[in-house]
Amino acid sequence: MPKLARYWINYNLTKRFLAEKLFVLSLLTLPYIMKVKKSSLSLFILFAFCSTLFGQAPDSLVEQTITFNYQSSSVDGESGTAVFNLYEGGKAWEYDTDDGEWESATYQWEPTADKGEFVIQWGELEYVNISLSFDSALTGTFTYVSWDDDGIVGISNIEDEGTGDFVISSISESNKPPFERYFSDDFTNPSLTRENFHLGDGDQSQGITFEHNASGFYTIRGLFTGEEGEDDPHDRWFQVSANSLLPMNKSWVVEADLNLNFSASAPTTMLQYAHAALQLEFDS
């Protein structure tokens, strides 16, 4: 075979071999590239999903209501709900879900990523440190340590510790403090009385059941067990809060006719004394 022809055949076979090799390599490489791209996409989706599993603590709690459902780790194991409305300047109002009382306080808030440190304070030696962990933008879990005046040398001692969950919501008209709310009530309208006082017909609290009818009888029945967590459960004072917060820089009048009327079946022989009183509580 002529030398030139052999060169041409070798050249042609070589080019063909390289082309086939490149084609096969391309077929092998394409699924690999597709696999890498698919894995990258899965990784991106997984990362995006994981980033939504944890909430971000808000920078501010102003004009928000935060509701804590707590469980004490103490021997008594007290549980309950604490509700705080939070305002500008570190001002707060706490609503007691047990007796309907409102109490002013101050607060501090320090958020960091999906966590936050919340301090609510009523007096110099009475406050609670709460550490929040956010599961979403508005919910999560917390641990708390409450401090109170020791009553002896004027220092704060740990009063309680525990855990719980919380919910944050915007302050609504229905859960705002009842500033300057004036009313009168002759107890002949149970629906109206429920708006004016925290406890109404059918409600139960601390062993007491409330009964109220249109004849004006506002009655309590049961065996008062005392407030949970109090030092002396035999201190039998029971109060029903009115739905009103009155200003100290304005004039107003509070009047009431009070009486005690025990039924024939009431165990009056067990009572050492009893009286009804109208009480005003002042808060700075």
Side-chain angles (χ1 to χ4, degrees):
M1 181 181 297
K3 187 176 182 180
L4 183 61
R6 290 201 303 271
Y7 284 158
W8 182 86
I9 292 174
N10 290 336
Y11 175 78
N12 187 44
L13 289 175
T14 302
K15 294 293 289 182
R16 181 178 177 184
F17 172 76
L18 291 175
E20 290 180 351
K21 184 177 181 181
L22 180 63
F23 179 71
V24 173
L25 179 62
S26 299
L27 290 179
L28 292 174
T29 305
L30 183 61
Y32 178 74
I33 294 174
M34 290 178 63
K35 182 178 180 181
V36 171
K37 288 185 176 180
K38 183 178 180 182
S39 299
S40 300
L41 179 62
S42 300
L43 181 62
F44 173 76
I45 294 175
L46 178 62
F47 176 77
F49 175 73
C50 289
S51 65
T52 62
L53 291 178
F54 301 97
Q56 185 76 17
D59 293 332
S60 173
L61 293 176
V62 173
E63 294 298 323
Q64 301 294 304
T65 296
I66 183 165
T67 302
F68 294 102
N69 300 305
Y70 64 90
Q71 175 65 58
S72 171
S73 59
S74 64
V75 176
D76 296 336
E78 179 185 359
S79 61
T81 300
V83 181
F84 299 95
N85 284 4
L86 308 175
Y87 299 94
E88 291 278 3
K91 303 289 186 181
W93 281 91
E94 178 193 9
Y95 180 69
D96 191 324
T97 57
D98 291 328
D99 59 20
E101 182 181 358
W102 289 89
E103 188 172 1
S104 63
T106 60
Y107 77 94
Q108 300 175 24
W109 172 241
E110 296 183 5
T112 305
D114 62 338
K115 301 186 183 300
E117 293 298 322
F118 182 77
V119 180
I120 187 78
Q121 188 162 4
W122 297 269
E124 183 180 357
L125 301 175
E126 184 183 2
Y127 57 93
V128 181
N129 294 103
I130 307 175
S131 299
L132 287 73
S133 297
F134 285 77
D135 298 330
S136 71
L138 300 175
T139 62
T141 59
F142 68 91
T143 60
Y144 72 90
V145 179
S146 63
W147 301 76
D148 201 0
D149 189 343
D150 69 342
I152 301 175
V153 295
I155 62 174
S156 288
N157 285 337
I158 292 179
E159 180 187 38
D160 190 24
E161 299 178 70
T163 60
D165 58 74
F166 68 88
V167 176
I168 298 175
S169 59
S170 298
I171 296 177
S172 63
E173 287 296 326
S174 61
N175 65 5
K176 285 184 176 181
F179 297 120
E180 296 193 59
R181 183 179 183 274
Y182 303 96
F183 66 88
S184 61
D185 198 330
D186 61 4
F187 296 94
T188 58
N189 186 338
S191 297
L192 178 62
T193 298
R194 180 174 288 280
E195 294 179 4
N196 295 333
F197 295 91
H198 177 64
L199 296 170
D201 185 50
D203 290 336
Q204 296 182 341
S205 178
Q206 302 173 40
I208 298 295
T209 299
F210 288 78
E211 298 175 1
H212 186 197
N213 58 40
S215 299
F217 289 98
Y218 186 78
T219 307
I220 60 174
R221 300 180 184 275
L223 177 62
F224 181 48
T225 58
E227 187 173 353
E228 185 180 7
E230 290 295 315
D231 294 335
D232 184 6
H234 301 291
D235 186 5
R236 304 301 188 185
W237 297 107
F238 187 84
Q239 58 186 18
V240 180
S241 299
N243 187 26
S244 179
L245 289 173
L246 304 178
M248 297 301 297
N249 60 350
K250 294 184 179 181
S251 299
W252 37 263
V253 177
V254 177
E255 294 180 325
D257 294 325
L258 306 171
N259 67 82
L260 289 174
N261 183 14
F262 293 99
S263 67
S265 60
T268 54
T269 55
M270 297 176 60
L271 296 174
Q272 295 178 349
Y273 61 90
H275 72 266
L278 180 65
Q279 177 180 332
L280 299 179
E281 292 192 5
F282 297 92
D283 201 347
S284 59

